[in-house]
Amino acid sequence: MTAVSKRRASALTSICDIVAASEKLKQLLSNALARIGAEDEGNNHAKELTQALAELFIRTPDQLKAALEDPDVIEDVRNAGIRGMLLPAIRTELKRSEVDSSWRRALIKAAKPKKELNKPLLRRLEVARADFTQLSSIDQVSQTFRARLFLILRISNGALDSDLMKDFEGFPFDEDGQPTFRPSAQWYLNQIDFPNGRDIKVMESKVTKEKDDLQLIKRIEGEFFERFELQNFPFDAQDLTITVSMNCANEGPVPVEFIDTDKDRDPPQLGVDTVNFAFDDIWVLSPSVKPEITTVGATAKRRFPAVHLRACVCRKPNFILLNVAAPTSVIAFLSMTTFFVPPADTADRLELSITILLTAVAFKFASASYLPQISYQTLVDKFCLLCTSFIVLANLSHVILGVLFHWVNVQDATLDAVNIASLVAMVVTWLSVQVWFFHSANVAKKSDTDAGQMRRRATDLPWTSGTELGYARMCQSFGRVLTCCKRKTITLDELEEQNDSDKVT
């Protein structure tokens, strides 16, 4: 059909609609005249009223109803012959016509067969790539960190789905206004959310095609909340988690789930930029990222799919050891020097011991800014508390010796023996505290994070001393020699490798 034919058909349809509306208006006027008892043979009076109203550009019942409600036009309608008892009769007919029209529409709608809605279609997403970059502001007080994330979510065979390929970001509806529940990939891209994020800045957001797959790409930057577990401070390791979720409830009409990558595909590219890490002098950043598929939501009946992307950082404890633990240990050790003052000089002993105790308390207040302000005790807090208790125990020992000398009148030889025994007990106690601290530190270094991420190997940790590193390499070299001796044959390459290892050690 040509454009001219289409215009002619449209014009003909408009003329037919106008004629039908005019006939409907004439029939309404005829019914109103019959309601007031006015005989109108051949509908002549109704025709005259219809022509008069047409001169006022009133050709349909809806236009007549609007004219009767408009105070500026109703006077012209009265001049056209609609006045007296005819006016309320016409209004009654308009109301009856409106009721009839509503019933007619309801019957047509009821007679029309209902279209069944599409059943929920589960979409599966894979994490194809996740890059942590520009990690900064690891704040253990506010429990936050800042990072930039480059994320690629893959929909397998998504390019073969016509619904996903539509270039439309809104929710789709059919011609009857019913939702199809088949949104496009652009719509799914806009549903990506970061529940533990704050002040999220979207730097890139797009959908790309790779062979038969679709890729949802997001590049964001922001601040993320993380609960730091500091029981092993300063030998702690922390998870830095970015939670990626979809605002598509599992129980909703557009469900989504995260799945692991198929074995036939390449493994996902998950990594951390360790070169541009700004806090390399405080933390050791692991180059790997551990994903964990889960769900999030405030209630158990409405859950949203999510995946936790976790990076791992291990603290370098040298600063805390040198500025908090070591001075506290030395102050506690100095309290044992008071036992070399004669036991009879109780006042001098107590004066020196209390001075050392006040020094320890003052140092505790001075070093409080270096420690995390939390309600539970960390490892270094326990160590400092034990050292302070050790100094208090030394004061109590001096008090007991003073009581034995001044009140019980113990002989000098016995008093000296008790003093030596007390000194030996204090030395053993101090050494026990140091051994406990180093053992706890060693256990903490080997422990995993709360999310189960493994720390870097001990030979890779920055606080491992050169002696420990050389000892570990020597043990590895000796183990290789034993393995070769068990086979009773040593190849030339193995000998060269062994010689190189020995040189390095």
Side-chain angles (χ1 to χ4, degrees), residues 200-216:
I200 301 297
K201 177 182 177 183
V202 179
M203 309 175 65
E204 183 179 3
S205 181
K206 63 182 179 181
V207 177
T208 60
K209 178 182 177 182
E210 183 183 7
K211 297 181 180 179
D212 294 338
D213 302 333
L214 288 180
Q215 293 182 337
L216 311 182

Side-chain angles (χ1 to χ4, degrees), residues 85-332:
M85 296 298 296
L86 182 59
L87 184 60
I90 290 177
R91 286 176 174 169
T92 302
E93 287 296 324
L94 286 172
K95 291 181 180 180
R96 188 177 65 83
S97 176
E98 184 177 358
V99 173
D100 292 342
S101 298
S102 62
W103 275 103
R104 192 178 297 107
R105 289 193 299 268
L107 291 175
I108 293 174
K109 185 176 181 180
K112 186 177 180 181
K114 294 184 178 180
K115 185 178 180 181
E116 294 184 0
L117 299 177
N118 292 328
K119 295 182 179 179
L121 178 61
L122 180 63
R123 299 291 188 185
R124 293 179 171 85
L125 302 179
E126 304 174 7
V127 178
R129 182 177 176 182
D131 294 343
F132 279 65
T133 59
Q134 298 187 9
L135 276 168
S136 61
S137 301
I138 303 177
D139 191 347
Q140 60 192 16
V141 177
S142 61
Q143 307 277 292
T144 59
F145 68 94
R146 291 194 64 86
R148 180 177 294 181
L149 175 67
F150 178 70
L151 177 68
I152 298 180
L153 301 179
R154 179 170 55 216
I155 305 178
S156 298
N157 299 323
L160 305 179
D161 193 320
S162 59
D163 294 325
L164 293 175
M165 291 298 295
K166 291 180 181 178
D167 189 14
F168 180 63
E169 296 184 359
F171 200 79
F173 294 87
D174 58 15
E175 60 276 4
D176 297 329
Q178 297 292 333
T180 63
F181 302 116
R182 297 294 185 268
S184 65
Q186 288 283 350
W187 184 86
Y188 283 106
L189 178 66
N190 296 333
Q191 305 311 308
I192 298 178
D193 192 17
F194 303 91
N196 68 327
R198 182 178 65 180
D199 300 332
I200 301 297
K201 177 182 177 183
V202 179
M203 309 175 65
E204 183 179 3
S205 181
K206 63 182 179 181
V207 177
T208 60
K209 178 182 177 182
E210 183 183 7
K211 297 181 180 179
D212 294 338
D213 302 333
L214 288 180
Q215 293 182 337
L216 311 182
I217 299 177
K218 280 273 189 181
R219 188 190 301 272
I220 57 102
E221 182 181 7
E223 189 175 48
F224 301 90
F225 296 98
E226 178 65 44
R227 181 184 177 185
F228 292 117
E229 300 294 339
L230 300 169
Q231 286 85 354
N232 293 328
F233 179 87
F235 305 98
D236 56 313
Q238 303 295 337
D239 295 307
L240 302 182
T241 306
I242 296 181
T243 303
V244 182
S245 68
M246 297 292 294
N247 292 328
C248 303
N250 295 335
E251 302 80 5
V254 192
V256 174
E257 73 170 351
F258 288 97
I259 61 174
D260 295 326
T261 305
D262 295 337
K263 297 181 179 179
D264 299 336
R265 292 179 175 271
D266 295 333
Q269 302 178 18
L270 309 175
V272 181
D273 181 14
T274 58
V275 177
N276 298 315
F277 184 46
F279 291 86
D280 189 63
D281 54 343
I282 303 176
W283 300 91
V284 179
L285 179 61
S286 174
S288 60
V289 174
K290 179 183 178 182
E292 179 188 354
I293 298 175
T294 183
T295 59
V296 296
T299 61
K301 294 184 179 180
R302 190 167 180 82
R303 306 295 295 176
F304 298 86
V307 57
H308 296 313
L309 302 175
R310 291 191 173 98
C312 179
V313 290
C314 302
R315 191 187 304 272
K316 294 182 178 180
N318 295 345
F319 179 82
I320 300 298
L321 293 179
L322 294 177
N323 293 277
V324 178
T328 304
S329 178
V330 170
I331 293 174

Side-chain angles (χ1 to χ4, degrees), residues 62-78:
D62 293 335
Q63 292 177 347
L64 178 59
K65 180 181 178 181
L68 293 178
E69 294 176 354
D70 192 342
D72 297 333
V73 184
I74 190 171
E75 189 65 29
D76 295 335
V77 174
R78 288 175 177 173

Side-chain angles (χ1 to χ4, degrees), residues 51-68:
Q51 293 175 358
L53 291 175
E55 294 178 358
L56 299 177
F57 304 100
I58 301 175
R59 298 183 176 89
T60 64
D62 293 335
Q63 292 177 347
L64 178 59
K65 180 181 178 181
L68 293 178

Side-chain angles (χ1 to χ4, degrees), residues 19 87 140 334 388 496:
V19 172
L87 184 60
Q140 60 192 16
L334 291 177
T388 305
E496 292 179 353

Side-chain angles (χ1 to χ4, degrees), residues 2-19:
T2 62
V4 176
S5 300
K6 290 182 179 179
R7 286 197 295 270
R8 289 179 179 176
S10 178
L12 183 60
T13 303
S14 300
I15 293 173
C16 292
D17 293 340
I18 292 174
V19 172

